[in-house]
Amino acid sequence: MTSPKADLYAEPSQPALPGSGFRLEAARTALVVTDPQIDFLSPAGATWEIFGASITDNDTVLHIGQLLEAAKAADVTVAISPHYYYPSDDSWQFGGPLEQYMHNVGMFSRRGPLTLDGFDGSGADFLPAYREHILDGRTVVTSPHKIVGPESNDLVLQLRKRGVSQVLLAGMAANLCVEGHLRELVEQGFEVVVVRDATAGPRLPEGDGYLSALINFRYLAAATWTTAEAVQALTGSLAPSTHMKETTS
């Protein structure tokens, strides 16, 4: 039996909007992953209390890992758009509810932009399961975005310089940085596919962030794919490994 929650998140059986006709072309495609960091994706992270249930339900950690493996196997550009806060950011004089929350819990804190002291294993660090892919010398790690979108970092420049015009988008969090990146990349002229089970959202009295993001993804993205669909599009019959599921801290 299908659960009511699964029905809530399911893609519409009879969509009213026309398809975009998107066709992936690996030569001009990049996988972009937002915030694949401990503070989001690990039970040891600062935000697990509000994101953990959605991450667990979606098997997000495994799915991001499968996308990274498939993208590397297909030799497409991989770009990571991380989120960092430095001590100088503590002097911000205003911020919305999200910003206030992130600062209050010390999310993505680093000791400074020019030092990695204290970075290894901190909440700002990448999930250990992903490091072999991210730190391989080929992956683009952009400058940090500071709120939710890539307007404040060099992601668009890095993609343009590599001839990228199609993006597979995944990471955290669905209704925040993923949606923020989707909106800006679409405005910048990219075709963007969101991998809907390689992300997750907060569940708070204010609402279910993952559900709100799914609705907007359907209106804005060229397509919303599962991880299995994205892996198939990237690598054909190549089967992704499942070891990522076991390394979450």
Side-chain angles (χ1 to χ4, degrees):
M1 175 181 289
T2 303
S3 71
K5 188 175 289 292
D7 285 342
L8 187 67
Y9 298 143
E11 293 296 288
S13 59
Q14 295 182 316
L17 295 174
S20 70
F22 177 84
R23 295 290 183 272
L24 185 140
E25 298 178 26
R28 57 189 186 97
T29 294
L31 171 66
V32 172
V33 183
T34 61
D35 303 346
Q37 293 161 265
I38 288 173
D39 265 345
F40 263 141
L41 291 169
S42 169
T47 65
W48 187 257
E49 182 179 3
I50 64 172
F51 288 97
S54 184
I55 291 167
T56 301
D57 286 349
N58 286 350
D59 228 350
T60 306
V61 171
L62 171 65
H63 290 150
I64 293 174
Q66 290 176 336
L67 290 173
L68 288 168
E69 289 185 348
K72 294 295 182 175
D75 198 28
V76 302
T77 296
V78 176
I80 307 299
S81 180
H83 204 144
Y84 301 133
Y85 285 126
Y86 308 126
S88 57
D89 297 323
D90 291 338
S91 62
W92 290 5
Q93 296 183 14
F94 61 90
L98 168 67
E99 295 169 66
Q100 297 294 342
Y101 171 79
M102 294 171 74
H103 286 290
N104 288 344
V105 300
M107 194 173 182
F108 301 138
S109 292
R110 284 181 51 180
R111 295 180 183 175
L114 302 179
T115 180
L116 289 176
D117 289 347
F119 178 75
D120 188 29
S122 71
D125 197 359
F126 302 118
L127 206 68
Y130 305 154
R131 289 178 193 157
E132 65 179 293
H133 296 303
I134 296 174
L135 304 179
D136 64 356
R138 296 188 296 133
T139 297
V140 177
V141 180
T142 71
S143 55
H145 59 271
K146 289 295 186 175
I147 311 294
V148 296
E151 294 89 340
S152 59
N153 74 5
D154 62 334
L155 175 64
V156 170
L157 171 68
Q158 295 289 351
L159 297 179
R160 298 283 191 212
K161 288 288 190 178
R162 289 165 173 77
V164 170
S165 58
Q166 295 183 335
V167 169
L168 297 177
L169 182 61
M172 293 295 290
N175 62 318
L176 302 170
C177 297
V178 175
E179 185 171 329
H181 280 63
L182 167 64
R183 289 178 180 274
E184 177 62 12
L185 290 171
V186 169
E187 295 282 0
Q188 289 283 346
F190 293 87
E191 293 181 281
V192 184
V193 172
V194 177
V195 187
R196 65 178 182 268
D197 58 359
T199 183
R203 294 179 186 167
L204 289 169
E206 286 79 0
D208 183 335
Y210 180 62
L211 177 60
S212 71
L214 282 180
I215 293 168
N216 289 333
F217 294 164
R218 293 169 191 147
Y219 279 83
L220 294 169
T224 57
W225 285 354
T226 63
T227 298
E229 290 170 326
V231 167
Q232 180 65 30
L234 281 169
T235 62
S237 61
L238 181 68
S241 134
T242 58
H243 80 278
M244 293 287 176
K245 187 175 183 178
E246 301 169 359
T247 312
T248 60
S249 62

